Amino acid sequence: MSKIQPPPGSSDHQDLLASSLSASYAGVVAFITVANEGSFSRAADRLGIGRSAVSRSVQKLEGQIGARLFCRTTRATSITREGELFYQNCRPGVDQILQALEEMRDLREGPPQGRLKISAPHGFGRKVVAPLLAEFRARFPAVTLELLLDEGTVDFATDGFDVAFRDGRLDDSQIIAKQLIPMQMHVCASPRYASQHGLPDSVDDLVAHSCINQRLASGRLQSWDFKVDGQKRSITPDGAIVVNDPELAMRAVLDNQGLAQLPAYQASEALRDGALVACLEQDAPDDRGHYLCYLSRQQLPKRIRAFIDFMTTSIRALDLCGIELTAQRIHLPAAADAAGVPA
């Protein structure tokens, strides 16, 4: 009675396959090396093992396939007809393995190349990351880029991302999180809105103002975070306008529609040139940081290392934080005059 073979895909079949490959691998390597070198002794020297170990591996392989691969005499070793056929069948697979190893060596030692999949939040991705991609591609033309904007949690293994930009650290001890710049938040208004409605002096005063809220991908409204008298405080003010994109929130503020809490990377330029003014700076929340996240520091492909180094240097050079805003609140009328707004 013939032995019933387990069906393909079953755990028993996989165990049988793994056992067969494990038992055959050393024998195939030994066989290919003997065939190339023309003798067991030279094959042993090439592999860095004893001649007897090479001989045992080949003998075990011959037992597995039921054929003699070499004719051995005290003077010479020659390959049999069956050995030649087996060599011809094995050689393409061995060449593919050698090519794969060579390509991995090129990825480590040659210029950066290959595909890079990147995740970033919508606001930071559009405002900061996307404008830098052209320069990165100019420096590393062999690297192809895929940028996906998403506010959700990144699953590197499932989603296939190489790097991810995130506001705040990811709660995963397996992920390396490198801080790029601080994440400062500012409650902003246009000079015209400020001149017409004033600005809040405390967090509680926000109830008297038109506020612009942002809806997250999860469906909930994004809270406004503060630190009042040393204590963290989060509120969700009633929204005169609700949007699901940071740029739309910024646009509404510039259009004199109300107040919004915006990250410094987004509002810094408008704050510096007077298109926006800030308030409640005394209650600004703690810095959460903008991070560049990836899986491991060890054996990092050159394309990922090049991208991390480039983005770290380039983003820090943009001067998207460190804005001195304390004088803006005091000199608000001057800011309004400069913007052509009647005080």
Side-chain angles (χ1 to χ4, degrees):
M1 181 179 295
S2 61
K3 184 178 180 181
I4 299 175
Q5 295 295 321
S10 68
S11 59
D12 289 343
H13 181 271
Q14 292 171 353
D15 291 343
L16 180 63
L17 178 63
S19 176
S20 177
L21 288 175
S22 176
S24 302
Y25 178 76
V28 171
V29 171
F31 164 71
I32 291 290
T33 308
V34 172
N36 286 336
E37 296 295 326
S39 81
F40 281 79
S41 296
R42 287 196 295 271
D45 292 340
R46 182 70 179 269
L47 294 173
I49 58 177
R51 185 186 186 283
S52 59
V54 175
S55 180
R56 284 195 301 271
S57 294
V58 172
Q59 288 175 358
K60 188 172 183 179
L61 178 64
E62 289 175 329
Q64 284 182 301
I65 64 178
R68 191 172 184 181
L69 299 174
F70 294 106
C71 288
R72 308 170 181 84
T73 67
T74 55
R75 295 185 176 182
T77 297
S78 60
I79 194 167
T80 64
R81 184 172 180 81
E82 291 79 8
E84 289 179 351
L85 179 62
F86 189 66
Y87 181 86
Q88 291 171 4
N89 289 333
C90 286
R91 189 69 204 183
V94 173
D95 287 341
Q96 287 183 346
I97 293 173
L98 293 175
Q99 181 180 355
L101 292 171
E102 189 65 27
E103 288 176 356
M104 291 301 100
R105 188 177 299 110
D106 288 343
L107 287 176
R108 292 196 312 270
E109 300 173 1
Q113 58 181 293
R115 176 173 166 271
L116 196 64
K117 190 174 181 181
I118 309 151
S119 173
H122 287 80
F124 197 80
R126 286 198 187 99
K127 180 72 174 181
V128 180
V129 180
L132 294 172
L133 296 184
E135 183 180 348
F136 178 82
R137 284 275 297 135
R139 293 190 188 184
F140 306 104
V143 179
T144 59
L145 303 174
E146 180 178 358
L147 173 62
L148 300 178
L149 302 183
D150 186 9
E151 309 292 335
T153 302
V154 178
D155 188 329
F156 284 87
T158 302
D159 300 330
F161 286 107
D162 296 298
V163 295
F165 294 89
R166 281 298 177 265
D167 301 334
R169 287 177 178 269
L170 296 181
D171 296 327
D172 189 335
S173 60
Q174 302 296 318
I175 294 173
I176 308 300
K178 181 177 185 178
Q179 184 169 359
L180 299 172
I181 54 175
M183 183 179 177
Q184 299 172 334
M185 301 296 293
H186 303 291
V187 177
C188 301
S190 68
R192 182 178 295 277
Y193 178 92
S195 69
Q196 293 175 345
H197 305 282
L199 292 174
D201 292 314
S202 70
V203 173
D204 292 330
D205 291 342
L206 286 171
V207 296
H209 287 269
S210 296
C211 295
I212 299 159
N213 283 330
Q214 297 184 55
R215 193 172 297 282
L216 301 174
S218 64
R220 69 178 181 86
L221 293 176
Q222 185 172 24
S223 63
W224 295 31
D225 296 329
F226 299 96
K227 191 170 186 179
V228 181
D229 297 327
Q231 300 297 316
K232 293 181 179 179
R233 183 176 175 185
S234 294
I235 66 169
T236 306
D238 292 335
I241 296 176
V242 177
V243 297
N244 69 341
D245 185 272
E247 288 189 9
L248 295 179
M250 173 90 161
R251 185 70 262 167
V253 176
L254 291 169
D255 288 341
N256 315 308
Q257 296 301 303
L259 306 173
Q261 190 174 52
L262 302 171
Y265 75 81
Q266 188 177 30
S268 58
E269 184 177 351
L271 287 167
R272 287 193 183 98
D273 64 21
L276 293 180
V277 293
C279 59
L280 301 180
E281 289 298 296
Q282 74 280 2
D283 298 321
D286 290 335
D287 165 37
R288 288 192 296 155
H290 295 285
Y291 289 85
L292 182 52
C293 306
Y294 50 100
L295 277 179
S296 174
R297 286 193 178 96
Q298 296 185 358
Q299 297 180 335
L300 204 61
K302 291 193 71 174
R303 66 184 186 281
I304 299 179
R305 171 53 59 196
F307 187 80
I308 292 170
D309 293 343
F310 172 83
M311 282 294 172
T312 300
T313 302
S314 300
I315 291 174
R316 288 175 179 173
L318 293 176
D319 192 20
L320 298 174
C321 54
I323 309 164
E324 181 55 58
L325 297 172
T326 55
Q328 280 195 293
R329 181 69 182 90
I330 299 172
H331 299 295
L332 179 59
D337 290 341
V341 179

